[in-house]
Amino acid sequence: MCLRMSLPLAPRIRTSCIYALAVLFAQVAAGSVSAQVDERDGDLAFFEKHIRPVLVEHCYACHSAESKIIRGGLRLDSREGMLRGGDSGPALIPGDAAASLVVSALRHESFEMPPEEKLDQSIVAKFSDWIQRGAAAPHEVPSEQPKPRVDPTLARDHWAFQPLRRPHVPVIDDPELADWVRQPVDAFIAGALDEQGWKPAARADKYTLIRRATFDLIGLPPSPEEIEAFINDDSPESFQRLVDRLLASPHYGQRWGRHWLDLVRYADTNGADENHVMPNAWRYRDWVFRSLNRDQPLDDFIVHQMAGDLLTEGADQAEQRELLTATGMLVIGPKMLAEQDKEKMRIDIIDEQIDTVSRTMMGMTIGCARCHDHKFDPITARDYYALAGIFASTRTMQNEDFVSKWMERDLPSDEIAAARQRHQLIIDQAKQHLDQLTNHANEAVLVKLDVQTLPEKPSDHYPEKTKSEIESAKKSLEQAEKEMPAFESVMAVTEQTPTDLAVHIRGNHLRKADAVTPRGVPARIASATPFSGVDPQSSGRLQFARWLTDDNHVLTSRVMANRLWMWHFGNSLTESPSNFGLQCPRPLHAELLDWLASELIDNRWSLKRMHRSIMLSSTYQMSSRDQSYLEQDPENQFYWRQNRRRLEVEPLRDSILCAGDSLDRRFEGSPDNASSNRRTVYLSINRAALMDLLSTFDYVEPANHIPQRSVTTVPSQALFLMNSPMVHDQAQRLAKQTMENGSDDTSRLTSVWMKIHGRPPSDQQLAVATRFLEQASLQTSVQHAWASLCRTLIAGSLFSYVE
């Protein structure tokens, strides 16, 4: 870092601080990485989910290769056809929805399309959004005749559908590269580098390694004491001991659980049309953290989320509670609660579940086959509805009232059950007391009126004292009933009547095929990984979950191993982490991926063992500063160096709070608001009103599966780091601590650098910072000068990036 203070100080210290920040952000902008996930993947998914189904249902009959006569010369079955247009010109202009004929036609302005009905405004809005974002769609050249849906040879030979076989670890002939190999993963990387005639980058220094490993495994910066202990440990096993310590930390589950929550679209509110708070969603979040902390095997981790409620028989009470809580994964998705067509609501919920499960576990976009056979993958509409039948046989909703309610279940608890029994005695006594008062009062009325039958309102004849006593007894009863100990509830599913579904023609639940499709799994995947079938008396969820996690499943272990690698290196071994279909070419390091998947299975699906295997490798421990092959391989596909990565918003915010020793490290519990100092993973995720901080730093879509966070560099991020009250407060706290504890400026500056950057300052940084403090102190208090320096360091790239 370089803090240039060549400009004269302005009347207030703020000018010099802003100048220093400007220099820092210029450096960040010059060296920043571009988005790590191609946003086009998300746009294509948007097209397949929201645009193509509408076109298929309402437009293809007249405007596709399926049409007997193409009306107006307009083809809408490809992007190229829409751009070319028909008799009235292009149907769409990417980036300009207002000028696109397709939008005005849907609005029934220029034309009235579809002619039989005006589509809902929400559909038109999605078309407008799609066009404004560039109208991304798969490249399909219009032809006069429909093409075969999927080439059967490609479907048969696709790399991801082949049986998983553990590859042999390469033998490296080059003595220098062979000496570099520490773990099997190194041999695969070394082999690829050797073919290029390249050499791997040097090992990163120990300051870099402890900061990298600590953020990777627990999402927090290492403390100065932890850094000092690691630096002073000269043992060859020092890094291994560091990794083991971090894996044993309870903060590990928070860090890696947050990765998982991205995949399964976790949030604390429903979103959609009725953004109700989901008050028990956090129990699922905390279950994820606990499960990963105890290194629950990944196959069990998946099975319990899919079908934990079906595994409770014979389990002790604590395990029953965990199993029920795990199934919250199926319930936490967004739902159109006020949808009055309840059958549509049900199939929409099923579609959302299929999309989440298939992309997360299998790396397949099975949801694209809801309205038609998948355009690119060997997934038919029958495959989709076979899988949909499994979820249709699972109860996700508590009721389907005017505003429907999601499913919640009480957690078993002997302690609470016993407390309820004891409290019921109190309620019974209160009720008995009320009955006695009422009966005595009614008898007195009969005597007073000298009648045999009570009047319609006997209370009108009670004395005031009696009325008061009865009213008091009623309130006591009501209070006792309110104080009845309640069972804890979780969002969870349960079984319902087993149901097979018919194919919905073009995705329309009002138009169904005559025959139902037996529940099952996609046929092409089942041909590679045989499926035992569905128990006719059950939903089939348990069989589906066990099939997903079968050691011979061609996709699940590959998908999970790839995600593990991605979260350690910043990029995926495959082109897309959540789409292993035919559009995903064979990866450059396919054998490494298969070795990782095989190793995951052979290590009993233990994530922590996999962390050790990856992190103890020379590949992981390389420096990210090497520039040797940047021109030949700018995306570092050959892993000739480690990748420099920007912190996600959670560790970034937590690090700011750590700088001032303000981070609240309590575990578990209901979500907090933005003013809380708890770890960011415990802040509320509101789908309809996401916190500005989260959206500013690329956490943008809590309603959908997130394969990988995008990375942007935009002015709002710099403005936050310059102006946020949180940053100012933590900088002031750190400055105060530094002034109180340091003996001289050099020791104080070293302390600040260690706290913020995890390493001591260089001589140049010391000199520049000393000059900054000297000049700043002429205009403001010494402590404010130190606070300005601390803010500048927090705003710099060394703080927000891991090297």
Side-chain angles (χ1 to χ4, degrees):
M1 174 186 293
C2 176
L3 297 177
R4 291 185 57 195
M5 299 302 299
S6 56
L7 291 183
L9 282 169
R12 297 174 62 88
I13 188 64
R14 184 177 300 275
T15 302
S16 60
C17 185
I18 291 176
Y19 179 76
L21 286 168
V23 173
L24 287 169
F25 283 107
Q27 294 174 344
V28 174
S32 65
V33 294
S34 60
Q36 294 175 315
V37 175
D38 186 359
E39 292 185 4
R40 180 173 167 80
D41 286 347
D43 292 338
L44 290 176
F46 185 90
F47 172 81
E48 294 293 349
K49 187 174 183 63
H50 299 295
I51 306 303
R52 193 194 293 273
V54 177
L55 295 174
V56 169
E57 180 175 356
H58 297 286
C59 308
Y60 276 18
C62 300
H63 299 285
S64 75
E66 303 172 3
S67 313
K68 293 181 179 179
I69 299 175
I70 297 176
R71 303 285 183 180
L74 174 62
R75 292 280 295 273
L76 296 176
D77 52 352
S78 72
R79 185 176 191 271
E80 289 73 15
M82 289 185 251
L83 290 172
R84 187 176 62 197
D87 298 343
S88 300
L92 63 83
I93 300 175
D96 191 350
S100 296
L101 281 176
V102 67
V103 173
S104 62
L106 290 174
R107 291 174 176 159
H108 283 203
E109 294 173 351
S110 56
F111 299 92
E112 294 185 359
M113 296 295 169
E116 66 275 7
E117 62 174 320
K118 185 177 181 180
L119 298 183
D120 188 83
Q121 182 57 37
S122 63
I123 296 176
V124 181
K126 284 186 170 62
F127 270 80
S128 296
D129 186 24
W130 170 62
I131 294 171
Q132 287 298 128
R133 290 158 59 172
H139 179 70
E140 300 171 294
V141 178
S143 62
E144 294 307 315
Q145 297 296 327
K147 295 181 179 179
R149 181 180 57 82
V150 173
D151 186 329
T153 303
L154 291 178
R156 182 195 66 201
D157 296 340
H158 184 56
W159 68 272
F161 300 158
Q162 305 311 305
L164 178 65
R165 295 186 176 89
R166 187 183 184 92
H168 295 294
V169 177
V171 176
I172 306 302
D173 296 326
D174 183 291
E176 185 179 350
L177 279 175
D179 186 58
W180 178 77
V181 172
R182 296 183 183 181
Q183 295 287 326
V185 298
D186 294 329
F188 290 97
I189 297 300
L193 292 175
D194 195 29
E195 289 181 1
Q196 300 297 311
W198 296 355
K199 301 295 182 184
R203 188 173 189 253
D205 63 74
K206 294 190 76 172
Y207 289 107
T208 297
L209 286 177
I210 186 173
R211 191 169 187 268
R212 180 188 298 171
T214 307
F215 272 117
D216 268 10
L217 288 182
I218 67 172
L220 293 171
S223 69
E225 295 76 19
E226 290 168 341
I227 296 170
E228 183 179 5
F230 179 64
I231 296 299
N232 293 333
D233 186 350
D234 295 328
S235 167
E237 290 79 34
S238 61
F239 189 69
Q240 180 176 339
R241 282 199 289 268
L242 169 66
V243 170
D244 288 342
R245 174 177 65 79
L246 294 171
L247 288 174
S249 167
H251 295 298
Y252 164 81
Q254 297 168 328
R255 173 59 165 162
W256 283 79
R258 182 59 260 183
H259 288 316
W260 183 260
L261 295 180
D262 276 7
L263 300 176
V264 297
R265 75 315 187 207
Y266 175 81
D268 296 296
T269 70
N270 179 68
D273 59 343
E274 298 282 339
N275 189 43
H276 295 305
V277 172
M278 300 188 295
N280 289 306
W282 64 271
R283 297 187 189 277
Y284 168 73
R285 175 203 68 199
D286 287 350
W287 174 86
V288 170
F289 295 171
R290 290 194 300 271
S291 298
L292 294 180
N293 272 333
R294 66 174 180 264
D295 199 21
Q296 182 181 33
L298 189 57
D299 54 347
D300 289 343
F301 181 69
I302 292 172
V303 169
H304 291 182
Q305 292 175 80
M306 293 291 301
D309 59 306
L310 303 178
L311 299 170
T312 57
E313 186 175 350
D316 61 36
Q317 195 166 87
E319 183 63 14
Q320 289 177 15
R321 292 167 63 90
E322 295 288 273
L323 289 166
L324 288 176
T325 304
T327 65
M329 185 272 291
L330 294 174
V331 190
I332 59 174
K335 307 163 191 67
M336 297 295 287
L337 300 177
E339 171 63 66
Q340 294 310 296
D341 185 339
K342 298 304 178 181
E343 184 179 1
K344 181 180 186 302
M345 180 192 73
R346 288 194 293 272
I347 195 64
D348 284 346
I349 291 172
I350 291 168
D351 181 67
E352 193 273 334
Q353 292 169 330
I354 289 175
D355 182 67
T356 298
V357 170
S358 64
R359 295 173 70 193
T360 298
M361 321 298 184
M362 299 170 62
M364 294 291 291
T365 56
I366 294 176
C368 293
R370 176 180 179 178
C371 303
H372 48 74
D373 290 351
H374 202 295
K375 291 294 182 180
F376 309 109
D377 294 332
I379 305 294
T380 65
R382 283 181 59 83
D383 289 332
Y384 176 92
Y385 286 97
L387 193 56
I390 292 175
F391 292 101
S393 305
T394 301
R395 187 177 177 189
T396 304
M397 301 304 291
Q398 194 91 43
N399 63 56
E400 295 182 354
D401 296 343
F402 186 87
V403 176
S404 302
K405 179 69 169 66
W406 55 81
M407 186 74 182
E408 291 194 348
R409 298 181 64 178
D410 289 343
L411 291 176
S413 169
D414 289 341
E415 181 182 353
I416 295 177
R420 287 174 63 88
Q421 281 187 329
R422 292 192 298 270
H423 194 79
Q424 186 61 48
L425 296 176
I426 298 174
I427 293 175
D428 292 343
Q429 290 173 356
K431 189 174 186 302
Q432 184 179 19
H433 178 57
L434 175 61
D435 289 344
Q436 288 174 347
L437 288 175
T438 304
N439 290 336
H440 290 158
N442 288 341
E443 289 173 2
V445 169
L446 291 173
V447 172
K448 177 182 178 182
L449 300 179
D450 191 20
V451 296
Q452 300 296 317
T453 303
L454 284 172
E456 185 177 349
K457 292 184 178 181
S459 59
D460 291 345
H461 304 278
Y462 295 167
E464 290 303 319
K465 181 180 178 182
T466 301
K467 289 181 180 179
S468 177
E469 290 174 345
I470 290 176
E471 185 63 28
S472 177
K474 286 181 178 178
K475 289 182 178 178
S476 295
L477 175 59
E478 291 172 359
Q479 186 64 29
E481 290 173 338
K482 288 179 181 178
E483 292 174 352
M484 169 65 84
F487 286 105
E488 294 174 333
S489 296
V490 292
M491 302 178 74
V493 298
T494 189
E495 294 281 85
Q496 63 183 11
T497 304
T499 304
D500 291 331
L501 296 181
V503 170
H504 295 183
I505 298 172
R506 293 184 174 175
N508 187 343
H509 65 287
L510 301 176
R511 299 178 59 203
K512 298 173 184 175
D514 294 333
V516 297
T517 302
R519 281 164 286 147
V521 299
R524 174 61 187 94
I525 313 302
S527 70
T529 307
F531 180 57
S532 61
V534 169
D535 177 358
Q537 303 305 313
S538 73
S539 66
R541 268 186 300 124
L542 185 57
Q543 293 91 344
F544 174 48
R546 287 175 170 161
W547 174 76
L548 276 175
T549 55
D550 189 292
D551 288 354
N552 295 315
H553 199 285
V554 293
L555 288 169
T556 308
S557 60
R558 282 179 171 129
V559 169
M560 294 304 165
N562 184 55
R563 295 194 193 284
L564 185 67
W565 180 272
M566 177 183 72
W567 289 323
H568 274 305
F569 288 91
N571 56 11
S572 166
L573 290 170
T574 59
E575 191 170 276
S576 171
S578 293
N579 187 354
F580 277 42
L582 301 190
Q583 296 290 293
C584 182
R586 178 181 172 85
L588 175 64
H589 300 283
E591 289 196 341
L592 170 59
L593 177 57
D594 279 3
W595 184 88
L596 289 168
S598 301
E599 186 75 357
L600 176 62
I601 294 170
D602 291 348
N603 279 289
R604 299 179 181 178
W605 295 80
S606 166
L607 284 181
K608 290 190 176 182
R609 292 182 185 180
M610 294 301 294
H611 288 305
R612 291 186 183 95
S613 182
I614 290 173
M615 295 181 70
L616 297 181
S617 69
S618 295
T619 306
Y620 177 82
Q621 296 177 42
M622 284 188 292
S623 169
S624 64
R625 296 191 173 190
D626 194 298
Q627 303 287 312
S628 300
Y629 311 111
L630 188 60
E631 185 175 344
Q632 300 97 312
D633 182 19
E635 296 182 358
N636 193 27
Q637 293 184 10
F638 283 90
Y639 294 99
W640 47 273
R641 66 174 182 180
Q642 178 58 279
N643 291 311
R644 185 172 182 258
R645 289 168 284 150
R646 220 263 307 278
L647 291 174
E648 307 99 304
V649 63
E650 294 91 346
L652 178 64
R653 177 182 176 275
D654 293 350
S655 296
I656 294 171
L657 292 171
C658 282
D661 289 335
S662 298
L663 184 66
D664 181 346
R665 301 186 184 222
R666 286 177 298 144
F667 295 94
E668 303 199 345
S670 56
D672 287 87
N673 58 38
S675 63
S676 170
N677 283 352
R678 291 192 74 193
R679 290 202 66 176
T680 311
V681 295
Y682 293 114
L683 298 188
S684 177
I685 305 297
N686 187 324
R687 285 189 172 122
L690 198 64
M691 292 180 188
D692 290 341
L693 169 66
L694 300 183
S695 56
T696 297
F697 288 94
D698 301 320
Y699 184 86
V700 295
E701 190 49 76
N704 295 319
H705 164 94
I706 303 174
Q708 184 181 12
R709 301 268 185 100
S710 60
V711 179
T712 63
T713 303
V714 294
S716 57
Q717 295 164 355
L719 292 171
F720 170 83
L721 292 171
M722 285 192 291
N723 300 322
S724 165
M726 180 177 67
V727 174
H728 281 246
D729 180 54
Q730 298 309 309
Q732 288 284 359
R733 289 175 59 88
L734 178 56
K736 185 174 184 295
Q737 296 168 9
T738 302
M739 294 297 297
E740 292 173 349
N741 299 328
S743 57
D744 57 72
D745 280 356
T746 298
S747 66
R748 292 187 184 109
L749 285 170
T750 300
S751 174
V752 166
W753 247 261
M754 291 291 289
K755 190 79 170 181
I756 295 178
H757 289 162
R759 62 173 62 243
S762 66
D763 291 343
Q764 181 187 13
Q765 289 169 334
L766 272 176
V768 172
T770 300
R771 188 164 65 251
F772 172 87
L773 291 170
E774 290 172 351
Q775 295 182 17
S777 298
L778 297 175
Q779 304 295 329
T780 188
S781 69
V782 174
Q783 183 171 318
H784 276 87
W786 277 91
S788 296
L789 175 65
C790 292
R791 287 202 307 275
T792 302
L793 296 179
I794 289 173
S797 62
L798 289 180
F799 182 80
S800 55
Y801 279 79
V802 173
E803 295 192 332

